[in-house]
Amino acid sequence: MVLKLSDYKTEVHNDWCPGCGDFGIVNAIQMALAEMNIPKHKAAIFSGIGCSGKTSHFINTYGVHTLHGRVLTFAQGAKIANPEMTIVAAGGDGDGLGIGAGHFVAAGRRNVDLTYIIFDNGVYGLTKGQASPTLKLGEKTKSLPTPNTNYNVNPIGLAVASGFTFVARGYSYDVRHLKDLIIAAINHKGLAFLDVLQPCPTYNDINTRDWYAGTEPTDDSAIQTHARLYKLEDTGYDPVVHYSEEAELNEKLSQALIKSLEWGDKIPLGIFYKNEIITEYGRRLADKIPNYLENPPVMQKISSNGKPITDISKLLDSLQV
Amino acid sequence: MANVDISWQIGGPQGSGVETAANIFSRVCARAGYQVFGKREFYSNIKGEHSYFTVRVSDKKIHSNVNDVTVMVAFDAETIFRHADELVSGGAIIYDSDIENIETKDVHTLDAYFRSRLHKYLDTKKKNYTVSGLLDLIKENGVNLYPVSFRGILDGLAKDTNNPKLKGMIRMFNVLGVSISLGLLHMSSKQLFESIELIFGKKQKIAEINKQLANYAYNYATAKFPNFKHSLAEISKQSDTILIQGHQGTAFGKMICGCRFQAYYPITPASDESVFLESHEILEINEDRPGSTVVIQTEDEISAIGMTIGSALTGTRSSTSTSGPGFSLMSESLGWAGINEVPVVITLYQRSGPSTGLPTRHGQEDLMFAINAGHGEFPKIVYASGDIEESFYDTSKCFNFSDIFQVPVIHMMDKFLASSVVTCKRLDPTKLKIERGKLLDKIDTNDYKRFAHTEDGISPRSKLGLENGIFWNTGDESDEFGHITEDPVVRLQMMDKRLSRFSQILKDIPKEDQVVSSGTQEYTIVSWGSTKGPILDAIDMLKKENINVGFLQIKLLYPFPTDLVKSFLKNVKTIIDIEANATGQLGLLLKQNLGREIDHHVLKYTGRAMTCTEIYDSIKKILANKEQKKVILTHGA
């Protein structure tokens, strides 16, 4: 059965602020699922807490709205138990890089085959605009009493350093490009990270839609405005690790790190790094449990007529005196 | 024949093979037909600090340790300094004669607090602060001294076998100590060699050398110390007996009942269970392809429970295993499992708190915490096992409860259970049932609602991946679909739906699984968890003096089976609450739920498990002086 975009939408009332960047991300996820024609029951959206946490309720697949910072833990558990599911995890930058930063790093090391999207807007919106981990040092968004005293996290750099095997950045107002990135992320065999720049129209009065477009009003008429965002794919940038060679791997990692530092006048979008040579977690499990992929936890028969069918007699024999 | 009841103890620095020695000793005795109860005590340390293992051996069923030690093996001075006074008159100490002149100040792991107490004690007895000083003292108390030059034995063996390398192999002092003990106790050498073979089985060369040494040391002891009055002759073995370690009960339970996912973060004393599960991750399944337990070591306990819940949402039986500090981190997610009615099992191996507390020592301090863990009000089950054998069957029950009532279950275990090695009847999986409640395998209609209101308040449960079974979960209050709502009417309905689980649980869990009564008497003990063993043994000791004391073991602690406990206690005049904590937490629960005061508390919070001797003594004390409201137990180094 071919599914339409509308099949992936729920009727739940969306209470995000008018003009919120989150809308574009939800649309892009729905478009990606429709284009890939993933059966609704074979996909699950896991989300964290905050405005972005509500994402799972707007998408007509399994939806698991978890806890602040913990979305990756729930999502990985589900994927490992049922590898047939297409799993997309979503959360804010405070969720994933503040309270959940430990899980972010650990997830990278594991490389479970799922997609993690961070709605990156520099503020904690739902609690009225406090500084979040991606806000730059010294910046003072609208509702901050004083400028931010913390240095910012570099999400792309952290993902690359943590072992994520697909690292990309999208922009919530470029929905088609974002949709393509989400499809690439889902198709990637391993843990994919998408940093999505998502202006918060209510609390982030610095990184606004106009600012990204380079058309923000300025007092200095001498400054020529230009779009800050550009696409890596338009520059001939090759993010892919092609060979199992340390030299190439290091080059691709370094290149991604260097690119991740670009900010201000030129902000790259697109795929920074992609490595399918590093095995995803399910394959690693299959190395020690040979039939894991054919017979994962969710497939296993555990009883027959209400009686257990696991045979531990050999183990008990070894304890017999 | 006379009753055999011997307590054997071996001590030494951590990493010196104390555990292996105890393992050999326990196995030999069990194979010779005896019941065995062993317990390990150790510091939070990798190498060097003092650890010891006490193995009680009897020809009848035993459930705990006693205070007295019959035979002690010491290949270091610290063991003598710390434990010599536990030896009973007529008992024996086998020790390395090379350590006689060691002074307390030479033993750097002997902490200042203990040293100063020991010095005071030795001062009152007018003895030197040396090994000899203590040995003199216990000799005066009727203990037999058996000095053996451990190095001398190695030298002798090296000469006999023409293998000079053996001279320096002090790593084998442990096997040497066991072998001499067994020679002294007139145990058959056949069992000794076979047990060594079994334990070192995979390392044939090492097994061979150890067997040579065992043979030499055993013969040395039988020739040199032939007249020790205690004896462990082979007796007829009860069929179907196994020798099992603490963490194996819950691990086997998980394998059998179909738990196929366990996430954990390393913590003492819980991680042994997870490591055991992973070591045996591939499972044999009757008439099917092999199964497996996927064991994931996570970055922290928050992740462990998050992954466990994620896995449970797929319909996979899933669990995590932890101790107090880890459980503290899990409590937020526990509430999420509660509001979303996700069946997960948390095996909680308690240890001494608060905070890091005594990280390798025993305690039953987390009862109130387990009951109250997580903010807000939601149903859960707190269930406690009394011994290792019980923990196997209970693990399976916990998963059934969790599936049937769609609630998280906290299965209370503890360090005492975890570091015990005991004989018990071979575990019988055929006794178990697997009940998955309202978990669905197929949905044909397209109007599924995960939290649909039903007559009994429990909704049919879909799982991630099931066609037509799409649902939403959220930590927010939600409607029947699982979508967020703040509507006051829906809120009320949903709270009532979830909380109706409490009465359901009390109604549907069989009474014999809620409370186990060994008969009530005018004086009746109430307790929970691992105190069961020493209580049962103490009751036996009292019975021999025609003192009858009742015992209620409460297994279902939350929701509390108030009516059931009330009916058991209605003719009981005096309640004695026995627990390994300082505040008498079960006592508080009884007071809160039954409105009844506890007459006497017997409490222990030194971090060491109770012995039956201590409980016996405390009951006698209470019977002699009814004013004694509280007895605090302190035995154990």
Side-chain angles (χ1 to χ4, degrees):
Chain A
M1 193 175 82
V2 177
L3 291 156
K4 301 185 298 291
L5 179 59
S6 58
D7 291 325
Y8 295 92
K9 295 183 188 276
T10 64
E11 288 166 12
V12 174
H13 165 69
N14 192 322
D15 59 2
W16 285 331
C17 304
C20 177
D22 288 356
F23 288 104
I25 306 177
V26 169
N27 289 341
I29 296 172
Q30 289 162 337
M31 286 160 69
L33 293 171
E35 191 170 320
M36 296 175 83
N37 201 35
I38 295 173
K40 291 180 293 179
H41 66 280
K42 291 285 181 201
I45 312 298
F46 284 70
S47 56
I49 288 290
C51 295
S52 59
K54 297 177 182 174
T55 301
S56 51
H57 294 280
F58 305 135
I59 300 175
N60 191 20
T61 62
Y62 280 94
V64 186
H65 180 193
T66 69
L67 289 166
H68 201 37
R70 315 303 169 209
V71 61
L72 279 176
T73 69
F74 286 66
Q76 289 171 97
K79 180 70 183 185
I80 293 167
N82 187 352
E84 271 194 13
M85 296 296 289
T86 294
I87 289 183
V88 176
D93 58 297
D95 191 300
L97 302 167
I99 188 169
H103 305 309
F104 184 90
V105 172
R109 296 170 52 215
R110 235 172 252 123
N111 198 32
V112 174
D113 185 14
L114 55 86
T115 297
Y116 181 39
I117 303 176
I118 280 190
F119 296 34
D120 182 356
N121 63 13
V123 291
Y124 286 86
L126 211 48
T127 50
K128 300 187 180 152
Q130 294 85 353
S132 79
T134 57
L135 191 70
K136 309 284 181 240
L137 176 65
E139 286 188 342
K140 182 180 172 310
T141 47
K142 207 151 105 187
S143 65
L144 290 186
T146 58
N148 182 21
T149 51
N150 293 311
Y151 197 79
N152 67 294
V153 168
N154 170 353
I156 299 281
L158 186 61
V160 165
S162 303
F164 283 70
T165 50
F166 177 103
V167 181
R169 183 189 280 143
Y171 181 52
S172 65
Y173 292 110
D174 190 345
V175 178
R176 294 214 159 267
H177 183 246
L178 181 55
K179 178 259 303 173
D180 289 342
L181 285 178
I182 293 172
I183 290 174
I186 291 175
N187 281 331
H188 173 74
K189 290 272 161 253
L191 180 59
F193 172 59
L194 262 173
D195 178 35
V196 181
L197 304 173
Q198 172 260 313
C200 172
T202 305
Y203 291 110
N204 190 332
D205 53 350
I206 297 173
N207 308 112
T208 61
R209 188 174 186 169
D210 286 346
W211 183 82
Y212 283 115
T215 57
E216 79 278 20
T218 161
D219 299 337
D220 187 353
S221 58
I223 294 175
Q224 216 179 0
T225 61
H226 67 279
R228 292 187 150 85
L229 299 168
Y230 75 98
K231 291 177 181 142
L232 289 169
E233 56 267 36
D234 295 342
T235 64
Y237 179 93
D238 176 13
V240 180
V241 178
H242 299 278
Y243 317 103
S244 185
E245 280 171 13
E246 205 180 331
E248 192 215 5
L249 175 66
N250 289 345
E251 186 200 317
K252 292 285 154 89
L253 285 168
S254 321
Q255 149 187 293
L257 273 171
I258 290 165
K259 274 289 163 201
S260 76
L261 296 169
E262 279 185 20
W263 190 259
D265 285 349
K266 280 182 75 188
I267 302 173
L269 299 179
I271 302 168
F272 286 66
Y273 175 74
K274 180 174 164 69
N275 184 344
E276 280 185 337
I277 292 163
I278 292 176
T279 54
E280 61 93 13
Y281 200 71
R283 296 276 301 283
R284 296 181 203 170
L285 285 177
D287 283 345
K288 55 192 204 117
I289 303 170
N291 73 354
Y292 164 76
L293 292 169
E294 306 88 70
N295 195 26
V298 77
M299 299 277 285
Q300 293 184 34
K301 200 173 157 207
I302 60 169
S303 65
S304 169
N305 296 320
K307 302 300 281 180
I309 54 169
T310 310
D311 182 2
I312 58 167
S313 53
K314 279 187 194 141
L315 284 168
L316 292 176
D317 288 348
S318 72
L319 304 184
Q320 190 97 22
V321 294
Chain B
M1 85 180 249
N3 277 346
V4 173
D5 196 340
I6 284 173
S7 200
W8 176 86
Q9 193 174 72
I10 186 162
Q14 217 124 282
S16 67
V18 166
E19 201 165 353
T20 308
N23 199 347
I24 297 170
F25 186 85
S26 304
R27 198 161 269 271
V28 168
C29 295
R31 287 168 65 88
Y34 291 96
Q35 299 291 316
V36 166
F37 188 95
K39 189 199 64 157
R40 183 177 173 228
E41 282 292 344
F42 52 101
Y43 273 82
S44 179
N45 156 266
I46 294 176
K47 274 192 179 148
E49 292 281 2
H50 178 66
S51 79
Y52 65 100
F53 216 117
T54 315
V55 183
R56 185 180 170 201
V57 181
S58 174
D59 52 1
K60 56 183 187 1
K61 180 79 190 152
I62 45 170
H63 312 86
S64 63
N65 284 120
V66 291
N67 284 7
D68 291 340
V69 173
T70 326
V71 175
M72 185 177 291
V73 178
F75 45 83
D76 71 344
E78 185 164 2
T79 300
I80 295 176
F81 287 136
R82 287 193 185 268
H83 300 282
D85 66 339
E86 293 168 37
L87 275 159
V88 68
S89 171
I93 181 165
I94 298 156
Y95 64 96
D96 187 352
S97 50
D98 294 349
I99 62 177
E100 276 173 5
N101 297 323
I102 292 180
E103 297 177 39
T104 54
K105 70 173 168 55
D106 303 330
V107 182
H108 65 95
T109 46
L110 213 56
D111 55 277
Y113 306 103
F114 177 78
R115 188 178 303 172
S116 95
R117 282 202 304 276
L118 180 64
H119 288 177
K120 264 186 209 153
Y121 174 67
L122 290 169
D123 287 344
T124 63
K125 302 289 178 186
K126 303 199 166 31
K127 299 289 178 202
N128 301 331
Y129 301 163
T130 60
V131 167
S132 306
L134 260 167
L135 291 173
D136 281 354
L137 184 59
I138 60 172
K139 194 175 176 190
E140 288 163 19
N141 294 341
V143 176
N144 302 292
L145 306 188
Y146 296 106
V148 175
S149 169
F150 280 39
R151 278 182 185 278
I153 297 241
L154 287 182
D155 288 350
L157 177 66
K159 214 166 126 194
D160 268 23
T161 57
N162 227 345
N163 183 358
K165 268 196 213 150
L166 292 178
K167 274 187 180 178
M169 295 192 73
I170 57 168
R171 273 206 60 77
M172 299 203 298
F173 277 5
N174 57 349
V175 171
L176 206 167
V178 180
S179 308
I180 292 183
S181 307
L182 292 167
L184 185 74
L185 286 161
H186 321 288
M187 171 64 80
S188 101
S189 57
K190 176 173 154 274
Q191 294 296 1
L192 170 61
F193 303 146
E194 285 179 9
S195 295
I196 289 177
E197 183 78 34
L198 272 171
I199 285 162
F200 293 102
K202 283 181 189 144
K203 306 166 210 159
Q204 206 41 52
K205 252 191 173 162
I206 296 174
E208 214 34 62
I209 294 176
N210 276 289
K211 270 188 345 202
Q212 283 176 0
L213 174 64
N215 186 35
Y216 191 93
Y218 179 90
N219 290 335
Y220 176 91
T222 48
K224 219 165 162 204
F225 317 129
N227 298 321
F228 188 53
K229 70 167 183 176
H230 293 281
S231 173
L232 287 174
E234 267 190 75
I235 55 173
S236 65
K237 195 156 59 179
Q238 285 182 10
S239 61
D240 278 346
T241 300
I242 57 170
L243 183 68
I244 188 169
Q245 295 192 46
H247 61 270
Q248 290 172 335
T250 55
F252 286 136
K254 287 178 182 186
M255 291 177 187
I256 277 288
C257 81
C259 171
R260 294 296 175 258
F261 184 96
Q262 168 138 324
Y264 82 105
Y265 185 76
I267 190 168
T268 306
S271 20
D272 286 347
E273 187 215 68
S274 298
V275 172
F276 184 80
L277 280 173
E278 189 172 1
S279 308
H280 304 282
E281 62 193 346
I282 296 172
L283 302 167
E284 278 185 48
I285 308 296
N286 291 329
E287 292 170 24
D288 200 8
R289 55 192 169 172
S292 56
T293 316
V294 172
V295 179
I296 310 282
Q297 184 187 324
T298 56
E299 60 274 26
D300 55 32
E301 285 90 349
I302 299 173
S303 180
I305 189 160
M307 285 211 198
T308 302
I309 295 171
S311 167
L313 290 175
T314 69
T316 302
R317 281 195 155 180
S318 308
S319 71
T320 179
S321 190
T322 190
S323 188
F327 186 61
S328 294
L329 292 182
M330 292 183 181
S331 56
E332 188 191 18
S333 298
L334 186 71
W336 194 96
I339 194 170
N340 286 291
E341 308 185 29
V342 187
V344 288
V345 173
I346 299 161
T347 312
L348 177 51
Y349 278 94
Q350 300 161 93
R351 64 190 210 191
S352 293
S355 190
T356 310
L358 305 170
T360 59
R361 308 289 180 176
H362 173 59
Q364 292 178 298
E365 301 169 13
D366 299 337
L367 176 58
M368 284 305 191
F369 176 44
I371 288 174
N372 294 306
H375 57 281
E377 299 163 302
F378 60 92
K380 61 167 109 64
I381 290 174
V382 178
Y383 198 76
S385 291
D387 59 40
I388 299 170
E389 188 178 355
E390 229 178 67
S391 74
F392 169 72
Y393 300 100
D394 288 351
T395 297
S396 197
K397 287 174 193 165
C398 285
F399 277 90
N400 287 345
F401 299 158
S402 184
D403 268 338
I404 293 168
F405 304 108
Q406 298 182 14
V407 295
V409 175
I410 301 155
H411 184 195
M412 306 296 277
M413 298 287 292
D414 58 43
K415 188 267 165 185
F416 177 30
L417 295 173
S419 56
S420 297
V421 180
V422 303
T423 44
C424 74
K425 201 165 165 46
R426 185 179 166 114
L427 306 175
D428 182 3
T430 64
K431 285 187 184 166
L432 298 172
K433 286 186 294 188
I434 292 185
E435 296 173 290
R436 306 225 51 193
K438 294 191 184 179
L439 178 65
L440 300 168
D441 278 325
K442 199 165 181 287
I443 301 175
D444 292 322
T445 54
N446 59 2
D447 56 353
Y448 177 74
K449 290 190 266 189
R450 169 67 186 93
F451 302 104
H453 291 292
T454 60
E455 211 159 291
D456 62 2
I458 304 174
S459 318
R461 180 161 71 100
S462 176
K463 51 192 176 189
L464 297 188
L466 191 63
E467 200 167 357
N468 299 319
I470 286 177
F471 60 75
W472 289 269
N473 284 140
T474 171
D476 290 54
E477 188 56 273
S478 72
D479 61 17
E480 288 177 280
F481 293 99
H483 285 310
I484 299 171
T485 181
E486 297 189 17
D487 182 82
V489 176
V490 178
R491 159 71 174 177
L492 200 68
Q493 288 169 345
M494 284 299 172
M495 281 296 280
D496 290 346
K497 172 185 189 290
R498 288 189 296 267
L499 297 179
S500 71
R501 233 50 67 81
F502 286 130
S503 53
Q504 203 87 25
I505 290 164
L506 292 172
K507 184 166 73 67
D508 290 354
I509 293 184
K511 302 279 175 273
E512 62 274 20
D513 288 336
Q514 299 188 20
V515 178
V516 178
S517 166
S518 345
T520 51
Q521 303 285 343
E522 182 184 343
Y523 281 82
T524 292
I525 295 168
V526 292
S527 192
W528 64 285
S530 66
T531 45
K532 173 190 171 184
I535 289 170
L536 287 178
D537 285 350
I539 288 175
D540 271 353
M541 292 162 78
L542 291 160
K543 220 172 253 168
K544 285 188 188 133
E545 298 172 23
N546 291 320
I547 302 169
N548 291 313
V549 175
F551 174 37
L552 274 195
Q553 180 202 354
I554 304 181
K555 299 188 71 170
L556 178 64
L557 293 145
Y558 191 74
F560 195 77
T562 304
D563 293 338
L564 186 60
V565 174
K566 209 181 256 174
S567 72
F568 274 120
L569 290 176
K570 74 173 176 262
N571 296 320
V572 170
K573 271 198 180 151
T574 308
I575 300 176
I576 305 168
D577 169 44
I578 303 186
E579 301 179 63
N581 59 50
T583 55
Q585 299 187 18
L586 176 65
L588 289 171
L589 269 188
L590 281 172
K591 192 171 163 183
Q592 178 191 328
N593 289 292
L594 271 61
R596 193 169 163 179
E597 290 290 334
I598 301 299
D599 301 285
H600 305 277
H601 286 285
V602 177
L603 304 172
K604 187 167 187 179
Y605 45 95
T606 55
R608 277 65 175 172
M610 292 183 195
T611 64
C612 57
T613 323
E614 285 182 294
I615 295 182
Y616 164 86
D617 289 343
S618 63
I619 304 278
K620 296 270 283 194
K621 231 186 241 175
I622 288 166
L623 291 174
N625 171 17
K626 310 221 157 100
E627 297 305 303
Q628 178 121 23
K629 284 271 160 220
K630 200 191 262 188
V631 184
I632 306 295
L633 309 180
T634 58
H635 178 79

